[in-house]
Amino acid sequence: MERIQGKWEICSPETYKDFSAVAFFFGQHLNEALGVPVGLIGSYWGGTAVEPWIDEFTFNHEKELYVLSQKQQVAGWSPTANSSIYNAMIHPVKNYTIAGVIWYQGEANNERAADYGPLFDGMIRGWRNEFHCFLPFYFVQIAPWNGYAGRNAAYLREQQADVAATLHNTGMVVVGDLVNDIADIHPSLKKQVGVRLANMALRKTYHKEEIQPYSPMLKSVRTEGRKMIVTTTALGKLTCKNKTIQNFEIVDQAGEVYPADAKLLKNGEISVSSAKVKVPVAVRYCFTNDAVPDLFDSNGLPLAPFRTDRKK
C-alpha cells in the first residue's frame, strides 16, 4: 500500500503546533542558513521500539536481527509487531526523493539496550535500501531521565554512539545538557535539539565547513598512579559550568564503581581519582540514566558520556 492520508501544509502559526517541535526548529534553522524552502515529512510515534520501524526485507535477509526482535515486550500504547509502523508510516512515502532523516527515539528499547545497536543499524540500512538512496541519517542520543532501571539508558546511549561511529553517513547529537527536569522524559528544550541536528546536516550534507557540530568524545585514557588521565576530542579546552566537575566515576580491580573527583589540567586533559581506589582500572563519565554533563568545549557542546571498562 502506497496511499497515505497526510498532506502538505505551509508552515504557519496555525499549522506548526501539530508538528514535531524538534523537526520545526530543525527546518527553520536550515531555511535560515540555506535560504531555500525546506519540506519536512513528519512520520513519528513516541514511545515505540525500533523493531516496528524495520522493514520486512531486512528481517527476512538478516536472521540475527529477527532473533533479536523476538525479545520485544508487548506494549499497550503502540504497535510492537515487526515492520508494522514501517509498513504504515514509512513505506507509503518511499517514492519521495528525500534529502535525509532525523531521528529522536530509542527509549522504548532501554530494557534490551545491548540489542539496540544492531537493530538500529539494520533499520537505517533497510531504509536506505528501500529509498534507493544512501540517506544521511542524523539522530539524537537519548536524554537523561531518572525513570529508567539500573543503568539501562547509559547502555543504550553507548549503543547509539556505536552506530554513529561505525555506520557511514550518520551523525549523533548529544543533548544531555538540554534537560531542565530529569523527572520529565520529554525535555522541553526542543529548539536547541533541532538546531544541533540542523548543524549536523549543514556540515555533513550541505558541506558548511565553518560549522562544527560534533560533541567532544573520549579519545584516550591512561593511568598515572592513583589517577586516570582522560584525553578528549574537544575543540579547544574544556570548561566546567559548575564549581566542581560532576558525574565522574572510577572502577577498581574488583569491578566496583566509586564516585570520583575530577579536575581540568592546563593541557586540556582531565585528571580523575577517588580516595577509595588505590589501583584504578577504568573511568566513567555521565554513565548513569540521569547524569547531566557539565563539561563543554569551546563550541559550547557537551562532552559525551563514556566508560572505559566495556567488555568487548
Side-chain angles (χ1 to χ4, degrees):
M1 178 178 176
E2 296 183 3
R3 297 187 301 274
I4 194 167
Q5 295 181 344
K7 61 180 180 179
W8 289 105
E9 290 186 324
I10 301 295
C11 183
S12 70
E14 291 70 41
T15 60
Y16 80 79
K17 296 177 182 178
D18 295 323
F19 199 69
S20 160
V22 168
F24 167 80
F25 289 116
F26 170 83
Q28 182 187 59
H29 195 68
L30 283 186
N31 172 253
E32 292 173 351
L34 300 173
V36 298
V38 175
L40 298 170
I41 298 174
S43 186
Y44 40 80
W45 193 323
T48 52
V50 70
E51 291 88 344
W53 294 94
I54 300 174
D55 66 284
E56 186 177 7
F57 181 89
T58 297
F59 276 127
N60 288 341
H61 289 78
E62 300 189 33
K63 298 302 182 183
E64 65 277 14
L65 297 185
Y66 178 79
V67 171
L68 292 178
S69 75
Q70 298 309 293
K71 302 178 185 180
Q72 189 180 180
Q73 302 295 315
V74 175
W77 60 86
S78 65
T80 55
N82 286 355
S83 309
S84 55
I85 300 179
Y86 174 86
N87 291 337
M89 299 175 63
I90 302 300
H91 178 81
V93 299
K94 72 171 189 171
N95 289 329
Y96 282 97
T97 301
I98 65 175
V101 178
I102 57 173
W103 173 272
Y104 189 178
Q105 297 206 186
E107 292 89 344
N109 285 87
N110 79 89
E111 294 182 1
R112 296 169 288 118
D115 301 334
Y116 187 76
L119 288 165
F120 188 40
D121 182 290
M123 189 203 81
I124 296 171
R125 290 183 290 101
W127 286 22
R128 288 172 172 175
N129 179 63
E130 290 288 300
F131 279 86
H132 304 291
C133 176
F134 196 52
L135 289 170
F137 206 102
Y138 307 131
F139 56 93
V140 180
Q141 193 175 48
I142 64 169
W145 181 54
N146 64 8
Y148 298 110
R151 294 186 187 239
N152 286 350
Y155 296 130
L156 193 133
R157 292 186 196 107
E158 188 173 62
Q159 293 285 310
Q160 292 178 303
D162 285 350
V163 174
T166 58
L167 189 58
H168 189 59
N169 212 22
T170 62
M172 181 184 76
V173 299
V174 178
V175 298
D177 58 313
L178 302 180
V179 174
N180 46 19
D181 182 2
I182 60 171
D184 185 357
I185 197 171
H186 300 292
S188 60
L189 302 178
K190 309 293 189 186
K191 181 175 182 178
Q192 296 92 324
V193 179
V195 169
R196 287 183 187 178
L197 283 167
N199 283 337
M200 185 70 72
L202 287 169
R203 174 63 181 264
K204 292 176 67 71
T205 298
Y206 299 101
H207 310 296
K208 300 292 185 180
E209 298 297 324
E210 70 277 13
I211 294 176
Q212 201 293 102
Y214 310 108
S215 266
M217 313 284 284
L218 171 69
K219 184 177 181 180
S220 64
V221 63
R222 68 183 186 273
T223 305
E224 293 185 358
R226 299 180 63 150
K227 300 176 181 179
M228 302 290 287
I229 307 299
V230 175
T231 303
T232 73
T233 62
L235 184 70
K237 291 185 179 181
L238 291 169
T239 57
C240 180
K241 289 196 173 180
N242 295 318
K243 290 183 179 179
T244 59
I245 301 171
Q246 305 295 312
N247 300 312
F248 271 95
E249 296 172 308
I250 284 284
V251 183
D252 69 9
Q253 290 175 303
E256 296 296 324
V257 181
Y258 297 89
D261 299 316
K263 66 177 182 178
L264 293 169
L265 304 179
K266 290 182 178 180
N267 63 0
E269 295 178 328
I270 310 164
S271 174
V272 187
S273 62
S274 170
K276 296 182 178 181
V277 180
K278 293 182 179 180
V279 184
V281 298
V283 59
R284 299 177 172 190
Y285 175 66
C286 284
F287 203 79
T288 62
N289 293 329
D290 56 5
V292 176
D294 58 3
L295 289 176
F296 296 81
D297 68 1
S298 60
N299 202 39
L301 294 177
L303 177 62
F306 64 81
R307 62 169 171 163
T308 64
D309 56 319
R310 184 178 182 183
K311 293 180 175 61
K312 298 297 183 182

